[in-house]
Amino acid sequence: MAVIEVTDLRKKYADLTVLDGVSFSVEEGEIFGILGPNGTGKTTTVECVEGLRRPDGGSIRVLGLDPVRDARKVREQIGVQLQQTQLPESIRVWEALDLYASFYANPRDWRELLEEWGLADKRDARFGKLSGGQQQRLFIALALVGNPRVAFLDELTTGLDPQARRTTWELVKRVRASGVTVVLVSHFMDEVEELCDRVAVFNRGKVVAIDTPAGLVGGEHRMRFTLMAGDASGRGDAADLENLPEVTDVSREGNRVVVTGRGDFATAVTAHLARHHVLVSDLRIDKRTLDDAFTALTGRSFE
Amino acid sequence: MMKLAVVETKLLTREPGALFSLLIPLFILVVFGSSIEPGDTVLLPMALAIAVGMVGLYLLPTTLATYRERGILRRLSATPVRPGNLLVVQLILQLVLAMTACGLLLAVAGTVLGAHLPAGVLSAVLVFLLGTASMFAIGLLIAALAPNGRTANGIGVLLYFPMAYLAGLMQPKDQMPAMVARIGEYTPLGAFGQSMREVWAGGAPSPLLLGVLAAYALVVSIAAAKFFRWE
């Protein structure tokens, strides 16, 4: 079941077209990524879906409701972590959770959230005294305190150190595991690759592709190696590689061999070589990444 | 809404600015109050005007502009609660603060200093409400126009001193150039202070000055509402 359906969304600020016909749908229980460089309309799209902005055209359905007309009902069922928002410096962690819980008809017990998000020992700390990672965890907890069906997380690991990012990723997976659909806005490839079930790739106010991260990267990988000199038997066996189902192409130039294939072809190739006692050196695998996929989709590099 | 009021009250008590707007007028009152004659009708109204002016021109706009700058109003609009509730709570709280400051001044002046308190309680309350409304309206306009809390604070300071001077809060009115004193009476803080002095002197406040205060409150708050941005 689609929990969010966006069709032909359009938005202009003065003369600048920010969204130029954006369409996608988010299925229940998935982590849906909205990926693109800064300034491609990701946040505007999400803010329209949250009902914070009025689109100029197109239609949006969130849990079957219109986020502008049925704003209250929609906000009751969504949780939001916004980019660049803060809390008052002097508010205590528990006060913020208690306050936000009071906004919803059917909130979660915020004490549980404190435990889950590792903030129990920061219960009485003031917001201004928290570290970046702790603030971020509090924001996610605040997004979940209303017991939402959909959580929107906008650039949630920006400004965090690698360790804190990893931890945050694990927490996001836990949110999904608890049955909440997650919409994740990000300009980090690795984050999207790690977390998302499906991704909409944004470029210049349009969605240029929607697929799984693996599907987007898709295509073929290449593996290069050099046959050890004097290994006469190896020459023939290397040619046999073409018969492996995962391999799409083998090209040779002297001792240099380049094998192209899909999926887990690298394991198949190395197993094949080992089975035939072929010795190789300088083995390298060129993996396509989401960066390559983005460049291929848009004709420009990311960032 | 109740919880919002409770939390905002706690936050206000943690705000050093709130303490200052209670203490600074009190300090002025005590320092100057020790050297005035018992029948004085100038000092206490002056301290009251300073207190209300500080809350309206510093604290209110700084708090609201900071809330917008930090995205707190925007974050609130993503919940089922309207961000307008926060504004209402803040206005009520700041009004309570202004009343507390004035109550404190009256209590200290009435007991320790043995100052003159006016007979016309109703006129005093009316002047207080109209004066506070006009100060708060200006505060709201500052909050609407200032891009962030620091600027709001700066504008508050920049406006406060000339307004306080024109209102005769920094220098006795009879020592000011007549022309300036006359103009000063029609500034928001001036009209407020002058009406207070009239009440203290035992008379009724001039309807013209009350009208001036009401007009400031109305026109400026309409402008504030027009220019206010949530983000």
Side-chain angles (χ1 to χ4, degrees):
Chain A
M1 186 198 119
V3 290
I4 297 171
E5 276 177 281
V6 174
T7 318
D8 198 27
L9 194 61
R10 288 171 190 281
K11 179 85 187 168
K12 262 188 177 182
Y13 294 127
D15 281 340
L16 185 70
T17 301
V18 182
L19 299 179
D20 188 9
V22 165
S23 303
F24 61 89
S25 68
V26 178
E27 299 297 317
E28 180 151 31
E30 71 177 339
I31 300 183
F32 187 83
I34 290 187
L35 175 75
N38 292 325
T40 46
K42 303 184 307 275
T43 295
T44 303
T45 300
V46 171
E47 287 180 343
C48 287
V49 174
E50 293 161 349
L52 294 177
R53 287 186 200 285
R54 251 169 221 276
D56 299 335
S59 88
I60 305 176
R61 281 273 170 277
V62 179
L63 301 158
L65 301 164
D66 179 319
V68 173
R69 234 187 10 244
D70 308 311
R72 243 190 117 89
K73 281 188 195 160
V74 169
R75 285 168 197 173
E76 192 63 61
Q77 300 183 72
I78 64 171
V80 172
Q81 177 252 321
L82 296 170
Q83 209 180 334
Q84 287 162 357
T85 45
Q86 300 281 305
L87 291 171
E89 285 283 326
S90 66
I91 198 165
R92 296 183 197 284
V93 169
W94 77 268
E95 288 169 345
L97 283 163
D98 187 37
L99 176 64
Y100 275 74
S102 77
F103 296 159
Y104 298 88
N106 180 28
R108 287 193 56 185
D109 182 352
W110 56 262
R111 289 162 198 88
E112 277 175 29
L113 282 166
L114 270 183
E115 290 291 336
E116 271 176 45
W117 294 84
L119 291 166
D121 57 334
K122 290 287 163 196
R123 200 192 123 109
D124 295 324
R126 294 187 178 198
F127 175 77
K129 302 273 180 217
L130 298 178
S131 72
Q134 288 162 346
Q135 292 188 348
Q136 209 57 276
R137 292 209 298 274
L138 177 57
F139 288 137
I140 304 174
L142 287 176
L144 299 174
V145 78
N147 212 357
R149 291 180 61 194
V150 189
F152 295 87
L153 306 175
D154 195 346
E155 299 289 2
L156 84 163
T157 63
T158 301
L160 296 187
D161 61 63
Q163 179 63 41
R165 288 185 75 209
R166 288 259 156 216
T167 318
T168 310
W169 290 352
E170 289 314 309
L171 295 169
V172 174
K173 288 180 192 168
R174 246 168 45 197
V175 173
R176 191 243 322 257
S178 71
V180 179
T181 307
V182 178
V183 176
L184 183 83
V185 180
S186 181
H187 71 282
F188 293 121
M189 296 286 186
D190 54 348
E191 184 162 293
V192 165
E193 238 171 328
E194 170 82 21
L195 291 176
C196 296
D197 299 304
R198 289 191 311 133
V199 190
V201 181
F202 275 62
N203 187 38
R204 300 198 166 101
K206 288 183 194 250
V207 175
V208 289
I210 301 180
D211 206 337
T212 60
L216 284 175
V217 172
E220 296 171 330
H221 302 305
R222 274 192 309 192
M223 183 176 180
R224 309 155 188 270
F225 52 83
T226 308
L227 294 166
M228 297 287 267
D231 189 348
S233 67
R235 290 168 195 261
D237 287 320
D240 285 353
L241 285 170
E242 275 161 6
N243 300 328
L244 292 173
E246 296 89 346
V247 172
T248 49
D249 186 53
V250 178
S251 67
R252 290 183 54 180
E253 199 174 300
N255 285 343
R256 304 277 311 149
V257 182
V258 178
V259 186
T260 326
R262 292 175 182 282
D264 199 15
F265 84 109
T267 316
V269 170
T270 45
H272 179 87
L273 294 175
R275 211 160 37 241
H276 294 85
H277 310 288
V278 180
L279 300 177
V280 301
S281 61
D282 298 334
L283 189 137
R284 271 218 320 268
I285 297 173
D286 303 332
K287 228 183 145 183
R288 245 167 72 103
T289 62
L290 265 181
D291 281 284
D292 303 327
F294 185 84
T295 310
L297 283 166
T298 63
R300 65 165 169 153
S301 67
F302 209 79
E303 303 298 340
Chain B
M1 187 85 176
M2 198 52 222
K3 199 150 256 170
L4 192 60
V6 172
V7 172
E8 289 300 316
T9 309
K10 285 189 191 171
L11 294 180
L12 188 65
T13 59
R14 288 171 200 165
E15 187 62 49
L19 198 63
F20 285 139
S21 41
L22 287 182
L23 293 185
I24 290 178
L26 196 64
F27 178 74
I28 292 173
L29 179 78
V30 172
V31 167
F32 293 98
S34 48
S35 64
I36 53 159
E37 58 260 46
D40 177 73
T41 58
V42 174
L43 180 65
L44 189 51
M46 179 179 109
L48 294 175
I50 291 175
V52 172
M54 283 185 67
V55 174
L57 294 180
Y58 287 148
L59 207 53
L60 180 70
T62 307
T63 310
L64 293 183
T66 306
Y67 277 14
R68 181 182 48 228
E69 179 193 359
R70 295 176 73 90
I72 291 164
L73 298 175
R74 207 164 79 95
R75 176 65 185 83
L76 213 55
S77 53
T79 73
V81 171
R82 289 170 192 281
N85 288 3
L86 184 61
L87 292 196
V88 172
V89 165
Q90 270 298 331
L91 279 175
I92 294 173
L93 271 183
Q94 305 277 355
L95 178 65
V96 170
L97 183 72
M99 281 162 59
T100 311
C102 291
L104 198 64
L105 289 171
L106 289 173
V108 171
T111 55
V112 183
L113 301 176
H116 170 72
L117 297 180
V121 176
L122 261 157
S123 339
V125 170
L126 180 69
V127 170
F128 170 78
L129 286 178
L130 282 176
T132 308
S134 61
M135 284 302 122
F136 277 28
I138 297 172
L140 285 173
L141 184 62
I142 298 173
L145 297 176
N148 57 50
R150 287 234 306 275
T151 316
N153 200 358
I155 298 176
V157 174
L158 277 180
L159 275 179
Y160 185 77
F161 283 104
M163 279 173 73
Y165 172 74
L166 284 170
L169 300 181
M170 302 172 95
Q171 190 184 14
K173 289 193 74 155
D174 46 21
Q175 290 174 25
M176 282 163 62
M179 187 65 188
V180 177
R182 188 97 189 106
I183 294 170
E185 257 177 45
Y186 297 98
T187 61
L189 203 55
F192 181 36
Q194 181 59 30
S195 306
M196 277 288 191
R197 280 191 287 269
E198 284 170 9
V199 172
W200 247 257
S206 122
L208 175 64
L209 290 183
L210 291 184
V212 167
L213 283 177
Y216 275 123
L218 193 71
V219 173
V220 178
S221 50
I222 289 172
K226 189 171 154 52
F227 290 118
F228 195 81
R229 293 155 293 130
W230 292 103
E231 50 190 85

